[in-house]
Amino acid sequence: AQSVDQPDAHVTLSEGASLELRCSYSYSAAPYLFWYVQYPGQSLQFLLKYITGDTVVKGTKGFEAEFRKSNSSFNLKKSPAHWSDSAKYFCALNTGANTGKLTFGHGTILRVHP
Amino acid sequence: EAAVTQSPRNKVAVTGGKVTLSCNQTNNHNNMYWYRQDTGHGLRLIHYSYGAGSTEKGDIPDGYKASRPSQENFSLILELATPSQTSVYFCASGPGTGGQAPLFGEGTRLSVL
């Protein structure tokens, strides 16, 4: 069965540092992978996706992610981090071809100290 | 501008009562989805739809029904609400192609007392 794992429930760092949020997946077919961000009390906003092609994908708000088939990972990165990046981040896997259904990880709460 | 609008935004219901959560999208997307978000679980898919008149079970459909009367509208129905259904519910819409990221609504916070 397909699944997404975000092993870090919380990540804390100082403004100006580099951030990397981890995501691994389990899926038998070619994955479509997404990152979303959720600010407190708000909905989910799309950040970036990997479908095919270049393994480093760039998204909104200065974020990028690297797809690594060798270890089934899709880690989110940004440098430098800003206090406004504090939010909850979700990694998601499309598991239904053209259905668009997503399987989500449990999320990582990122806190960036000013 | 693409939008997914949910109503109500907050709802308090009594155990055993009927609750209907509504969702409207102006994106002309074929597919719509209902997820719930709980601490420790991320988002889980309850029901989804391919278009008007269609509803499909997601990963956790028990205790929920769905209705898609039109392209724009998708409702989630709790016929007999229970406290375990206290959660934040998100509606989303998408074009139905695997590479496109669904667009999410603002969420509905439901408390069942």
Side-chain angles (χ1 to χ4, degrees):
Chain A
Q2 60 276 358
S3 65
V4 175
D5 182 44
Q6 294 181 249
D8 303 311
H10 294 85
V11 171
T12 300
L13 47 82
S14 298
E15 195 170 40
S18 298
L19 76 84
E20 182 169 359
L21 305 184
R22 297 186 291 165
C23 172
S24 63
Y25 68 92
S26 174
Y27 191 49
S28 57
Y32 292 169
L33 294 159
F34 303 83
W35 277 99
Y36 284 84
V37 60
Q38 184 181 34
Y39 298 100
Q42 297 187 25
S43 185
L44 281 75
Q45 299 178 26
F46 168 72
L47 279 178
L48 49 77
K49 65 182 179 183
Y50 171 79
I51 305 301
T52 186
D54 291 341
T55 58
V56 176
V57 292
K58 296 186 184 299
T60 61
K61 305 180 189 293
F63 286 93
E64 67 176 36
E66 182 176 8
F67 171 69
R68 291 190 175 182
K69 186 178 181 180
S70 59
N71 62 356
S72 299
S73 70
F74 187 55
N75 293 353
L76 183 69
K77 303 176 184 180
K78 183 177 180 181
S79 183
H82 189 265
W83 65 267
S84 61
D85 294 325
S86 298
K88 190 167 188 177
Y89 291 81
F90 289 97
C91 182
L93 168 70
N94 181 295
T95 56
N98 288 336
T99 68
K101 297 188 298 179
L102 297 180
T103 294
F104 283 86
H106 289 182
T108 297
I109 296 173
L110 173 67
R111 186 175 180 190
V112 181
H113 289 291
Chain B
E1 182 178 327
V4 178
T5 304
Q6 295 182 228
S7 62
R9 295 293 312 279
N10 292 279
K11 173 76 176 178
V12 178
V14 296
T15 297
K18 182 177 180 179
V19 177
T20 300
L21 307 183
S22 299
C23 179
N24 175 274
Q25 56 109 352
T26 58
N27 312 314
N28 199 30
H29 286 159
N30 289 328
N31 291 8
M32 296 185 74
Y33 315 87
W34 276 106
Y35 291 87
R36 64 178 283 177
Q37 182 180 23
D38 303 288
T39 303
H41 285 282
L43 279 81
R44 293 178 290 173
L45 181 65
I46 306 170
H47 283 288
Y48 62 103
S49 168
Y50 293 116
S54 104
T55 62
E56 305 290 336
K57 293 180 179 180
D59 299 321
I60 54 164
D62 293 346
Y64 302 93
K65 292 172 57 178
S67 174
R68 182 87 181 269
S70 65
Q71 179 82 340
E72 297 79 18
N73 295 293
F74 190 39
S75 298
L76 185 68
I77 303 156
L78 291 66
E79 295 278 5
L80 294 170
T82 69
S84 65
Q85 294 175 313
T86 293
S87 187
V88 180
Y89 293 85
F90 286 98
C91 177
S93 74
T97 54
Q100 298 302 312
L103 182 64
F104 283 79
E106 295 295 319
T108 294
R109 184 174 296 275
L110 173 66
S111 296
V112 182
L113 306 178

